[in-house]
Amino acid sequence: DAAHSKATALAAYGDWFREGRAKDAVPVDIAWALTLDDDLEIFWWIDWCCTDQDKLLPKKSANEPGRDARPDIAALPAYAAASAGIVAAWTPEYASRPWCRAELLLAYAFMTTGRNVLVVPAGFAGSRMRGMDRYGIVLADPRETVDTLTNPNDRPVIASLTGVAERST
C-alpha cells in the first residue's frame, strides 16, 4: 500500500525487539529462541525488493529448453539457513501464493526456529506484544498453487526449491 504499512510494522517490530530484549521486556521464549548474541543485528529478507520481480530466468542454453535459477533465488535455502528466525508481515491472502508458501517451507526446513513464524500484525507500533501470533501459519505445498503464478517460468523453480526443502527434513 502507499503508506508502506507492512514495512513500517516490520521496522517497528525490529526496534521493539532490539530495545525490549535489552530490557528483558520481550517474552523469553521469543527472544532467546532467536539468538543469544548480545550484539543483535536484524536483517530483513523482503522478497519484492530483494529479487527482481520482472527479470525472467535465463535459458540454460540455446539448445536446451527450461530455465536455470537465478543466483538470488537459488540462494534462498542459504538465506534461510543463515537466519535465526522468521518474522512475517503476513495476511491471509499470502496463504495461497506459491512463493510465500515456498519461503515458509524453506524456513521450516533450514531454520532452527522455522516452525515458529512470528506474525507482525498490521499497524504494529511496538508498544505491546498483544496480537503477535506465533503459531497461526500452516505449511502447505507450494506446488498446489502454481497455477496462480504470474510468471509460468517460476513453476520449475518452485518445484526445485520445494524438493530441496523436502530432502533436507
Side-chain angles (χ1 to χ4, degrees):
D1 63 10
H4 308 289
S5 61
K6 291 180 215 164
T8 301
L10 287 172
Y13 170 81
D15 292 342
W16 170 83
F17 185 86
R18 190 183 308 93
E19 292 167 15
R21 193 168 157 271
K23 299 174 191 171
D24 290 326
V26 174
V28 172
D29 61 326
I30 294 171
W32 301 113
L34 295 178
T35 180
L36 295 174
D37 191 352
D38 288 335
D39 188 23
L40 177 67
E41 292 184 87
I42 296 175
F43 298 92
W44 301 103
W45 162 264
I46 300 175
D47 57 1
W48 57 266
C49 67
C50 291
T51 62
D52 185 345
Q53 299 294 303
D54 298 319
K55 184 177 179 181
L56 293 175
L57 299 174
K59 289 184 177 181
K60 289 182 179 182
S61 74
N63 299 326
E64 292 181 72
R67 307 282 180 166
D68 288 333
R70 297 186 335 242
D72 56 340
I73 300 300
L76 279 174
Y79 291 141
S83 299
I86 182 168
V87 177
W90 187 264
T91 65
E93 85 175 80
Y94 292 165
S96 64
R97 293 185 180 179
W99 278 110
C100 295
R101 287 180 171 200
E103 291 163 357
L104 289 176
L105 188 61
L106 291 167
Y108 178 84
F110 291 101
M111 287 182 201
T112 57
T113 62
R115 288 170 175 77
N116 298 320
V117 178
L118 299 174
V119 178
V120 176
F124 182 82
S127 61
R128 288 191 241 166
M129 187 65 175
R130 181 177 293 179
M132 189 75 73
D133 182 2
R134 286 182 265 165
Y135 309 104
I137 297 177
V138 177
L139 288 177
D141 190 331
R143 297 167 294 198
E144 294 172 355
T145 57
V146 293
D147 291 338
T148 65
L149 287 165
T150 56
N151 182 352
N153 293 319
D154 287 348
R155 287 180 184 194
V157 181
I158 293 283
S160 176
L161 289 171
T162 301
V164 168
E166 288 173 336
R167 289 187 299 276
S168 74
T169 55

